[in-house]
């Protein structure tokens, strides 16, 4: 197991580190401790590693969702910001949802105190405390081989649900879904014996066509359904209940509706189980649901599905979390290999319906006229290869991805190579290594701005290297090294990166060690795709020439958003709104890549509107690879006590000036204040 728990080097307590996810946290104590390894079976919930220490106090230097249960599994306390609870003598399990999942097991009376920035657990005396940790990192267990025959692909897709860690409604939590096994094309079907899909009694019958198979994959995985050939698309349960799925666009929309409806109702029902919290969405729809959530909790998947379909979708649609990802995928045989990664994101999958874009949106005649007087990040020589650009159809989701030959406007260019590169991510040191490169002295403003941002969070272990005016060999050495993130500022064309002594074409490198990148230069798409093919996981590139002033605004915003825990795809969505050239940027590879975690673990954007002496605060959350759709989020604003389902707009809160300042002071977060993009600390300072 790669998670480690060791004595802190510079303070009393223990340091917990996950070097694959580049995450760490600490539990400090009032005196020196000596961690002793213990059996992980001593914990109710699974942990990767565990130690015992003796202490009278533990402090977590941040506030996270905390659930305290008795030895029987009954939840007795849910604590977050500004909480205080005293518990009598007993055996307790304390679950801490931090950047690494932590569990504390103790047999003693204790108290928990949560302020604005830390949580303290005080025991009545020196006592043995067990500390367990589990990584959020989840790899596919094995690989399925399938032929191009749709019947073989049905068997392969049916086996993806073997990754589910439960078939109860708790599988709506991202940590209980599990990464599906990988799929590779081959000469014969081979499903490893180790894979055991759950027996839910649900079957999905489909005509043996690749398009319908790809669309159904996330729903089949979530329901633990067996996919079989049939004359018409329909769902059949073990009791004989059937539900038609339609054809064509009707089929795609019905599958999307079923996935969202079943998932949403599972999220509401799970409040009857281990996590009995006050959920905003349940309160909003419960009166219109024709069944008891208590009864639904104990039903089989097939029984739940039948009951769910009796709920008119219009009754719950306004309360659904905004779906994280819609992916448009060409129904070609080789694209079956990317399905497990899309299913892992619980993406809505559609077959492509897009319009061709003659040139990147925003390159209008008026903009062309403006550009003549603006400094461009383009080289004056070099080849300009045409890029086929498409505009995917609109989707009701936070993000979109495109799997095909073209470059998508407003969506991620997803590739199976990028996802596989992420799985091959090596265990490195605990620090996050960031290199900022500026290869044009006229662009030093962005270089300095990035230098001030990256690594500015004292609690996180960043190593930031600033470089400029690099030669071909110097830049090649950086790209080949094990760097977590490279922010490049300068000139790029199809021939390569402009260096002091020529151009570096990534295709000439044997391999690339950089995980993620921002190539803030003109026409960086081709070189960015070469980085993905050579070993990188994800990055931000441009489709055409970009104005230096606009590139500076986007680059600076991206740096600050990434530093605050936003994944690439979410960061670009927000940053691209800061300039007229925002539509020329796109993510290539895996848009889930991040370089840090948000202080609240789930990054969010606030839209604040003044209303006399009061303010309306709209909060939009963005799922991450570790805090995916189904995660709970509680905004500590005003008198709110509710938990919300994370992903998209939560609610608009009306608060006074002091309540607004208190909320904005909890952590650094991006804010649109009366239409202007800024940051919470800047607003708090002005107030």
């Amino acid at each position: 197991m790669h998670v480690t728990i060791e004595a802190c080097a510079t303070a009393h307590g223990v340091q917990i580190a996950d070097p694959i996810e580049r995450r760490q946290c600490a539990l400090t104590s009032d005196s020196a401790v000596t961690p002793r390894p213990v059996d992980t079976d001593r914990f109710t919930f699974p942990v990767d590693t565990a130690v015992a220490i003796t202490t009278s106090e533990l402090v977590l230097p941040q506030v996270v969702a905390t659930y305290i249960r008795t030895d029987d599994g009954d939840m007795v306390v849910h604590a977050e910001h500004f909480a205080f609870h005293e518990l009598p003598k007993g055996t307790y399990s304390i679950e801490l949802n931090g950047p690494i999942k932590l569990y504390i097991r103790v047999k003693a009376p204790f108290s928990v105190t949560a302020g604005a920035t830390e949580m303290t657990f005080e025991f009545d005396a020196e006592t043995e405390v067990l500390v367990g940790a589990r990584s959020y990192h989840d790899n596919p267990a094995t690989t399925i081989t399938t032929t191009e025959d749709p019947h073989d692909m049905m068997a392969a897709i049916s086996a993806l649900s073997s990754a589910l860690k439960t078939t109860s409604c708790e599988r709506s939590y991202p940590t209980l879904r599990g990464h599906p096994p990988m799929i590779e094309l081959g000469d014969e079907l081979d499903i490893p014996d180790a894979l055991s899909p759950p027996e839910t009694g649900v079957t999905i019958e489909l005509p043996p066509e690749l398009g319908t198979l790809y669309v159904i994959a996330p729903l089949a995985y979530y329901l633990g359904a067996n996919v079989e050939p049939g004359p018409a698309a329909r769902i059949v349960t073990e009791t004989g209940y059937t539900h038609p799925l339609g054809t064509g666009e009707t089929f795609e929309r019905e599958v999307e509706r079923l996935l969202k409806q079943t998932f949403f109702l599972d999220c509401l029902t799970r409040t009857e189980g281990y996590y009995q919290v006050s959920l905003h969405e349940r309160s909003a729809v419960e009166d219109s649901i024709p069944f008891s959530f208590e009864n639904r909790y104990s039903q089989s998947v097939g029984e739940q599905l039948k009951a769910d379909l009796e709920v008119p979708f219009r009754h719950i649609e306004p309360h659904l979390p905004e779906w994280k990802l819609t992916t448009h995928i060409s129904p070609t045989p080789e694209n079956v290999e990317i399905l497990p990664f899309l299913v892992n994101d619980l993406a809505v999958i559609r077959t492509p319906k897009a319009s061709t874009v003659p040139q990147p949106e925003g390159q209008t005649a008026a903009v062309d006229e403006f550009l003549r007087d603006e400094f461009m990040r383009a080289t004056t020589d070099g080849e300009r290869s045409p890029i086929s650009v498409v505009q995917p159809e609109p989707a009701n989701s936070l993000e979109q991805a495109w799997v095909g030959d073209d470059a998508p406007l407003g969506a991620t260019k997803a590739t199976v190579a990028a996802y596989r590169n992420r799985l091959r991510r090596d265990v490195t040191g605990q620090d996050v290594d960031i290199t900022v490169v500026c290869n044009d002295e006229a662009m030093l403003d962005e270089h300095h701005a990035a230098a001030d941002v990256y690594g500015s969070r004292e609690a996180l272990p960043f190593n930031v290297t600033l470089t400029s005016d690099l030669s071909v060999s110097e830049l090649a050495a950086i790209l080949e090294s094990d760097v977590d993130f490279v922010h490049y500022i300068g000139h790029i064309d199809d021939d390569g990166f402009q260096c002091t002594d020529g151009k570096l074409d990534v295709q000439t490198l044997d391999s690339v060690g950089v995980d993620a990148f921002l190539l803030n230069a003109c026409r960086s798409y081709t070189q960015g795709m070469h980085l993905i093919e050579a070993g990188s996981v994800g990055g931000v590139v441009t489709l055409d020439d970009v104005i230096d002033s606009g590139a500076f605004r986007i680059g600076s915003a991206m740096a600050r958003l990434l530093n605050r825990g936003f994944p690439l795809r979410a960061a670009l969505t927000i940053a691209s709104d800061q300039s007229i050239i925002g539509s020329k940027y796109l993510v290539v590879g895996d848009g889930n890549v991040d370089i840090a975690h948000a202080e609240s673990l789930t990054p969010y954007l606030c839209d604040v509107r003044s209303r006399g002496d009061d303010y309306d605060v709209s909060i939009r959350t963005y799922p991450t690879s570790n805090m995916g759709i189904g995660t709970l989020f509680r905004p500590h604003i005003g008198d709110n006590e509710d938990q919300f389902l994370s992903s998209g707009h939560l609610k608009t809160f009306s608060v006074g000036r002091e309540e607004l300042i208190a909320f904005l002071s909890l952590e650094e977060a991006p804010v649109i204040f009366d239409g202007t993009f800024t940051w919470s600390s800047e607003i708090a300072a002005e107030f």
Side-chain angles (χ1 to χ4, degrees):
M1 297 298 178
H2 56 266
V3 176
T4 60
I5 305 178
E6 301 174 343
C8 291
T10 58
H12 298 321
V14 291
Q15 185 83 11
I16 305 97
D18 180 352
I20 288 185
E21 288 294 317
R22 277 68 164 178
R23 299 287 191 263
Q24 64 175 271
C25 58
L27 288 169
T28 60
S29 56
D30 54 355
S31 59
V33 297
T34 303
R36 307 179 303 279
V38 296
D39 195 328
T40 56
D41 290 342
R42 296 178 68 177
F43 289 82
T44 304
F45 294 96
V47 296
D48 296 332
T49 189
V51 300
I53 59 176
T54 301
T55 185
S56 61
E57 179 185 271
L58 285 175
V59 178
L60 180 70
Q62 64 185 116
V63 179
V64 300
T66 299
Y67 303 95
I68 303 175
R69 297 181 176 88
T70 65
D71 207 26
D72 295 328
D74 297 328
M75 192 174 82
V76 292
V77 168
H78 168 215
E80 293 195 42
H81 287 83
F82 310 113
F84 176 76
H85 299 277
E86 291 183 308
L87 291 100
K89 184 177 181 180
T91 301
Y92 297 97
S93 171
I94 306 170
E95 176 184 346
L96 301 169
N97 290 337
I100 303 170
K101 191 82 159 182
L102 299 181
Y103 293 94
I104 298 171
R105 187 169 175 82
V106 64
K107 187 176 182 180
F110 72 97
S111 66
V112 55
T113 305
T117 60
E118 67 179 25
M119 305 185 80
T120 302
F121 301 88
E122 289 188 90
F123 312 105
D124 66 335
E126 292 272 325
T127 188
E128 181 182 71
V129 179
L130 306 186
V131 179
R134 185 177 77 237
S135 172
Y136 291 110
H137 186 75
D138 196 12
N139 267 354
T142 186
T143 300
I144 299 168
T145 303
T146 179
T147 69
E148 296 183 4
D149 186 332
H151 296 84
D152 287 345
M153 288 192 182
M154 285 183 173
I157 290 171
S158 298
L160 296 181
S161 62
S162 61
L164 292 175
K165 299 176 183 180
T166 180
T167 56
S168 73
C169 59
E170 275 86 8
R171 72 189 186 283
S172 55
Y173 283 111
T175 54
L176 293 178
R177 290 197 285 271
H179 197 302
M182 291 199 295
I183 297 178
E184 289 183 355
L185 278 177
D187 297 329
E188 61 181 8
L189 178 66
D190 180 19
I191 300 177
D193 293 338
L195 298 182
S196 299
E199 296 181 2
T200 63
V202 178
T203 300
I204 300 177
E205 297 178 356
L206 296 172
E209 303 165 354
L210 295 189
T212 56
L213 283 177
Y214 291 177
V215 169
I216 206 68
L219 179 62
Y221 160 82
Y222 188 74
L223 294 178
N226 191 41
V227 183
E228 297 180 353
R234 65 175 188 165
I235 291 179
V236 182
T237 71
E238 59 187 349
T239 62
Y241 173 78
T242 63
H243 178 77
L245 296 174
T247 60
E249 286 193 35
T250 300
F251 167 76
E252 293 189 5
R253 296 302 184 266
E254 181 64 8
V255 170
E256 177 179 345
R257 181 182 76 85
L258 277 178
L259 176 62
K260 292 180 177 180
Q261 183 158 343
T262 302
F263 173 84
F264 178 68
L265 292 172
D266 276 349
C267 289
L268 308 193
T269 304
R270 72 191 187 195
T271 57
E272 295 289 334
Y274 286 111
Y275 298 89
Q276 297 181 7
V277 299
S278 175
L279 184 63
H280 171 80
E281 289 83 358
R282 174 167 172 169
S283 300
V285 305
E286 189 161 15
D287 289 344
S288 63
I289 301 299
F291 51 74
S292 159
F293 287 114
E294 182 179 3
N295 291 339
R296 187 182 184 277
Y297 186 80
S298 59
Q299 290 178 329
S300 69
V301 173
E303 291 170 332
Q304 290 174 344
L305 185 61
K306 182 178 183 296
D308 294 349
L309 289 169
E310 295 174 0
V311 179
F313 190 61
R314 67 180 183 276
H315 288 176
I316 63 172
E317 186 176 16
H319 307 284
L320 294 174
E322 192 170 354
W323 214 248
K324 177 187 178 184
L325 179 64
T326 297
T327 301
H328 310 264
I329 177 169
S330 300
T332 57
E334 62 272 14
N335 281 341
V336 72
E337 297 186 346
I338 204 170
L339 280 184
F341 303 101
L342 304 179
V343 167
N344 187 53
D345 248 347
L346 218 59
V348 167
I349 294 181
R350 296 179 179 177
T351 52
K353 299 170 189 68
S355 56
T356 301
V357 180
Q359 57 181 341
E361 184 182 327
Q363 192 73 16
T364 62
V367 175
D368 285 339
E369 180 69 24
F370 173 69
L371 297 186
R372 292 193 187 106
D373 299 321
E374 282 286 327
F375 175 66
M376 308 293 291
R377 294 194 174 186
T379 56
T380 56
D381 56 354
E383 295 295 324
R384 179 192 286 267
S385 300
I387 300 173
S388 175
V389 181
V390 294
Q391 175 72 69
E393 67 173 340
N396 186 23
S397 60
L398 283 172
E399 305 160 1
Q400 295 196 70
W402 179 270
V403 182
D405 294 333
D406 308 293
L409 206 60
T412 295
K413 167 79 170 184
T415 70
V416 69
Y419 290 111
R420 287 177 174 167
N421 291 342
R422 183 166 190 164
L423 295 180
R424 290 192 287 265
R425 220 176 178 187
D426 294 329
V427 176
T428 65
Q430 296 178 8
D431 293 352
V432 176
D433 294 317
I434 298 173
T435 299
V436 183
V437 179
C438 181
N439 261 10
D440 190 314
E441 61 181 14
M443 305 175 189
L444 286 175
D445 283 350
E446 183 178 338
H447 191 241
H448 296 324
D452 291 339
V453 169
Y454 291 125
S456 59
R457 296 172 61 183
E458 294 182 2
L460 296 183
F462 286 100
N463 285 329
V464 182
T465 303
L466 306 177
T467 63
S468 59
D469 298 326
L470 299 184
S471 66
V472 168
S473 61
E474 290 171 332
L475 181 57
I478 289 174
L479 297 179
E480 290 174 328
S481 63
D482 291 328
V483 177
D484 295 295
F485 185 73
V486 167
H487 184 149
Y488 177 85
I489 306 158
H491 299 293
I492 297 177
D493 58 32
D494 293 347
D495 293 334
F497 294 73
Q498 183 68 58
C499 300
T500 57
D501 57 350
K503 293 182 180 179
L504 171 63
D505 186 348
V506 174
Q507 291 186 97
T508 64
L509 302 180
D510 293 333
S511 63
V512 167
V514 171
D515 282 343
F517 53 85
L518 166 57
L519 304 184
N520 205 7
C522 291
R523 293 180 277 151
S524 59
Y525 173 80
T526 300
Q527 290 297 312
M529 289 301 297
H530 291 332
L531 284 171
I532 297 296
E533 293 159 6
S536 290
V537 180
V540 175
V541 298
T542 60
L543 289 169
D544 200 10
D545 295 343
V546 292
I547 314 164
D548 184 61
S549 57
F552 170 76
R553 283 193 294 274
I554 290 177
S556 300
M558 281 289 300
R560 204 160 177 179
L561 290 161
L562 291 170
N563 190 58
R564 286 292 155 184
F566 284 81
L568 283 178
R569 194 157 45 207
L572 182 60
T573 297
I574 298 171
S576 60
D577 288 338
Q578 307 313 309
S579 171
I580 192 174
I581 64 169
S583 61
K584 297 186 180 185
Y585 287 77
L586 80 156
V587 174
V588 293
D590 181 358
N592 287 324
V593 179
D594 58 31
I595 64 171
H597 62 80
E599 290 178 46
S600 57
L601 301 185
T602 296
Y604 59 87
L605 169 70
C606 296
D607 190 330
V608 180
R609 303 285 174 171
S610 302
R611 186 170 46 81
D613 294 332
D614 294 325
Y615 301 88
D616 290 334
V617 183
S618 174
I619 300 174
R620 177 176 294 271
T621 61
Y622 293 83
T624 68
S625 59
N626 291 338
M627 298 291 154
I629 190 165
T631 298
L632 294 175
F633 182 83
R634 178 186 169 191
H636 296 276
I637 183 169
D639 59 357
N640 175 60
E641 295 289 339
D642 282 348
Q643 298 273 356
F644 290 78
L645 295 175
S646 173
S647 192
H649 173 71
L650 303 184
K651 179 183 174 182
T652 298
F653 300 87
S654 295
V655 297
R657 180 175 179 274
E658 295 303 319
E659 292 173 313
L660 177 65
I661 294 174
F663 172 66
L664 295 179
S665 299
L666 290 176
E667 69 175 287
E668 182 76 314
V671 180
I672 300 174
F673 191 89
D674 286 336
T676 300
F677 183 78
T678 183
W679 289 82
S680 56
S681 61
E682 296 168 9
I683 297 174
E686 291 177 2
F687 273 34

